[in-house]
Amino acid sequence: MAFLTDNMRGALFMMGSMTAFTVNDAFMKSVSTDLPLMQSIFLRGVIVLPLLILLCKSMGQLRFDLSRRDWILVLIRTVAEMGGAFLFIKALFNMPLANVSAILQALPLTVSLAAALFFQEPLGWRRITAIIVGFAGVLLIVRPGGADFSVFSIYAIAAVLIVTVRDLAARRMSRDVPSTLAAVVAAIGVTVMAAIGLLTETWVPVTVPHVGFLTGAAVFIIGGYVFSVAAMRVGEIGFVAPFRYTSLLVALILGFLVFGEIPKALTFLGAGIVVAMGLFTLYREQRVKRRLARQMASQPQ
């Protein structure tokens, strides 16, 4: 990839990350007809944790000398990760893969809105309009009151809201917090949550295909994390970030090929609106940041 620019490398890393995360979702969904929810999350965690710890150690990021403020933020992020994992996988087990993925694409909109509400980050009328239109797109996907609507659509929307808290906590962390360390702590939290949840379920015997699917999920979720870290370190974030929507395209393809799912026209329309508004929001956010940076640079020292 020596001939590629940093931006193009970052875009490829982001596409790889989103593809890997979505393949992980497909593997998890593949065991949903046989294994209970908490057992699936727990078994994946048992496989993921050693791999993630080894990755963290190999990168020299397995360190615990963080400030009290950063540890609080890591804890908040972990609790949100636990809630988000439960809600998202619960929805994933009971909804078409593409529908769940499409709802998750509203995340940039909710993060922008929450950052403005709680952290007083600037939010102009253009982005406010985009957020409102984007939420209308989500309603087209879930269609409350329609024949296809179920409580699991609410689970998916709730997952987006809780993951918003996770991302806001990550935004407030200092640069002293290693990204892989935060991921390790979150993985521990999710696995412990699932272990406790096992008390409410009946253990189902695990077969060789189950082990294969869960190992695939673990490997791809690690791969997704590695690529996402690389994507944020290469190229400009304003150029790289929009490629996160690769996950929706991959979800549509896997949903059709693996699960025989064909989203309805309104789902396609709603997903298109959410993606378009998300892209516009990311674009405006980068413009605002560049303008603020120029203003600060022009001020006398």
Side-chain angles (χ1 to χ4, degrees):
M1 294 200 305
F3 62 92
L4 295 177
T5 64
D6 284 346
N7 279 345
M8 288 305 299
R9 280 197 294 271
L12 288 174
F13 283 137
M14 179 60 78
M15 292 169 68
S17 170
M18 294 299 101
T19 298
F21 281 131
T22 308
V23 173
N24 153 73
D25 294 340
F27 273 122
M28 290 296 288
K29 187 172 178 63
S30 296
V31 302
S32 64
T33 55
D34 299 323
L35 299 182
L37 176 68
M38 289 301 183
Q39 184 178 341
S40 302
I41 297 175
F42 174 75
L43 290 174
R44 185 187 66 175
V46 168
I47 301 170
V48 164
L49 265 177
L51 298 175
L52 197 52
I53 291 171
L54 284 174
L55 173 65
C56 187
K57 188 173 182 180
S58 69
M59 296 177 67
Q61 295 188 350
L62 195 62
R63 38 182 290 265
F64 303 96
D65 55 339
L66 306 181
S67 68
R68 183 172 179 272
R69 176 181 180 276
D70 279 334
W71 274 121
I72 291 174
L73 289 169
V74 168
L75 178 61
I76 293 172
R77 183 187 184 279
T78 298
V79 172
E81 184 79 51
M82 293 161 62
F86 168 76
L87 292 166
F88 176 78
I89 298 177
K90 184 73 171 178
L92 181 68
F93 275 24
N94 295 277
M95 290 177 62
L97 177 61
N99 288 42
V100 181
S101 180
I103 293 172
L104 197 64
Q105 305 313 312
L107 188 58
L109 304 175
T110 58
V111 170
S112 290
L113 179 60
L117 291 175
F118 297 108
F119 300 144
Q120 285 75 54
E121 292 189 11
L123 186 65
W125 67 268
R126 293 180 181 85
R127 276 193 290 166
I128 292 175
T129 303
I131 289 169
I132 294 172
V133 175
F135 288 161
V138 172
L139 290 177
L140 285 176
I141 298 169
V142 301
R143 295 187 289 281
D148 296 327
F149 179 76
S150 73
V151 68
F152 301 110
S153 299
I154 303 299
Y155 276 72
I157 294 172
V160 171
L161 298 179
I162 292 181
V163 172
T164 300
V165 175
R166 181 200 68 182
D167 287 2
L168 289 179
R171 278 194 181 197
R172 308 306 286 183
M173 291 178 190
S174 72
R175 294 183 178 272
D176 295 331
V177 181
S179 52
T180 51
L181 177 62
V184 166
V185 176
I188 292 172
V190 171
T191 306
V192 170
M193 173 201 71
I196 295 171
L198 284 174
L199 299 175
T200 66
E201 295 178 345
T202 301
W203 183 271
V204 174
V206 180
T207 65
V208 173
H210 294 150
V211 174
F213 286 136
L214 291 169
T215 301
V219 170
F220 274 96
I221 201 171
I222 294 290
Y225 180 73
V226 171
F227 281 130
S228 69
V229 171
M232 291 297 100
R233 291 180 175 177
V234 179
E236 302 170 8
I237 190 170
F239 183 89
V240 171
F243 287 91
R244 71 183 305 278
Y245 292 107
T246 302
S247 60
L248 179 56
L249 176 61
V250 176
L252 287 166
I253 294 172
L254 289 178
F256 175 71
L257 294 179
V258 179
F259 305 107
E261 299 168 350
I262 303 177
K264 294 187 176 180
L266 282 177
T267 300
F268 277 112
L269 177 59
I273 291 173
V274 171
V275 170
M277 295 304 100
L279 288 171
F280 179 77
T281 300
L282 290 170
Y283 165 74
R284 290 296 305 175
E285 185 174 298
Q286 291 306 308
R287 283 201 60 177
V288 169
K289 286 182 178 179
R290 286 196 294 269
R291 185 174 69 245
L292 291 175
R294 287 195 299 269
Q295 291 175 351
M296 292 181 64
S298 64
Q299 291 177 356
Q301 301 297 317

